[in-house]
Amino acid sequence: MAARVLQQCVRSLARPSLRLCPVSAALRAAVAPAVGVHRPVSFAADSRRTRWLGQSRISSVVVLCRQYGDLPPLTLETIKDRVMYVLKLYDKINPEKLQETSHFMKDLGLDSLDQVEIIMAMEDEFGFEIPDAEAEKLMSPEEIVQYIADKKDVYE
Amino acid sequence: MMAASSRSQVISLYKAMVKASSRFPSYNYRTYALRRVRDAFRANGKVEDPRAVEKLLEEGQQMLALIQRQVSIGQMYGAQRTVVE
């Protein structure tokens, strides 16, 4: 719902300025503080805006969300893609057999030491520590994605 | 006396050793340490006797301390990067 409100704001603000210059500093400043609060939403607002700008033959792409040198915001999709990518790179896993719900020990035939290595690879990929007590419970890619989403406050 | 069950002790020891081994600045030491740690843990994975397990854990702790000392020494004296890196 917040996304819809935001998109309407962007539409109403962008309409008068479409014919003039592609981006005015005032427009960006007006929208950016609102967008800065809802980081996952900025993708939707951004794509709408670039579509109009494309229609009016303006080539510059505006990033509405001020990130101040931070990483791009995580979404469940990107977390899942990254987790599956790291797992496919692991040589003891057969990439064809890998599903989101495949259990490491029962379906993929790995043992607990392999699971430790997988969790360490996830720690390297996402840049934060996973304590041992919680790490030994993560037994499938889906559980890993859920855990990371919990820790990083990613919600849909 | 037992901080956690021996299985989770083994898991945390393995994790600590792999983490310490991957900090070696020298390519040769790093790959050897990782390979040796993996092989040793796999070979001893079938041991059931609790006293033997405890003894192996002790040895593992000493090896972990050794790896950490050697990592610090290696980081003091910089080495050139080899071609494989």
Side-chain angles (χ1 to χ4, degrees), chain B residues 17-82:
Chain B
M17 286 183 97
V18 171
K19 272 209 174 112
S21 304
S22 47
R23 289 179 55 215
F24 268 113
S26 153
Y27 170 79
N28 293 320
Y29 291 164
R30 190 169 61 236
T31 43
Y32 173 72
L34 280 170
R35 199 170 54 226
R36 183 76 186 92
V37 164
R38 282 201 188 118
D39 291 348
F41 272 81
R42 289 213 187 274
N44 294 329
K46 301 286 179 298
V47 173
E48 293 295 342
D49 178 26
R51 267 168 307 170
V53 166
E54 211 175 304
K55 197 155 150 294
L56 287 168
L57 279 172
E58 285 279 336
E59 266 182 52
Q61 293 285 351
Q62 287 173 350
M63 287 297 121
L64 173 63
L66 189 154
I67 293 175
Q68 284 167 340
R69 284 194 299 267
Q70 291 303 318
V71 162
S72 313
I73 293 173
Q75 286 172 346
M76 279 188 235
Y77 301 99
Q80 285 180 332
R81 297 175 71 82
T82 58

Side-chain angles (χ1 to χ4, degrees), chain A residues 74-116:
Chain A
L74 289 175
T75 61
L76 277 182
E77 272 302 310
T78 57
I79 295 177
K80 188 170 73 74
D81 289 338
R82 282 163 78 180
V83 167
M84 299 307 273
Y85 183 67
V86 169
L87 285 174
K88 289 195 174 112
L89 288 176
Y90 190 54
D91 55 357
K92 289 194 191 166
I93 293 183
N94 186 358
E96 278 102 54
K97 277 207 226 156
L98 181 65
Q99 307 268 325
E100 272 170 55
T101 48
S102 44
H103 195 271
F104 291 140
M105 300 206 185
K106 294 184 210 155
D107 298 333
L108 299 170
L110 305 171
D111 69 356
S112 51
L113 296 179
D114 295 324
Q115 195 254 351
V116 171

Side-chain angles (χ1 to χ4, degrees), chain A residues 45-73:
Chain A
D46 189 25
S47 58
R48 285 287 178 111
R49 199 180 153 87
T50 52
R51 251 190 297 188
W52 288 333
L53 294 182
Q55 284 167 13
S56 62
R57 281 171 280 124
I58 295 165
S59 56
S60 63
V61 174
V62 179
V63 176
L64 289 180
C65 172
R66 284 189 193 153
Q67 287 169 352
Y68 296 108
D70 196 5
L71 295 167

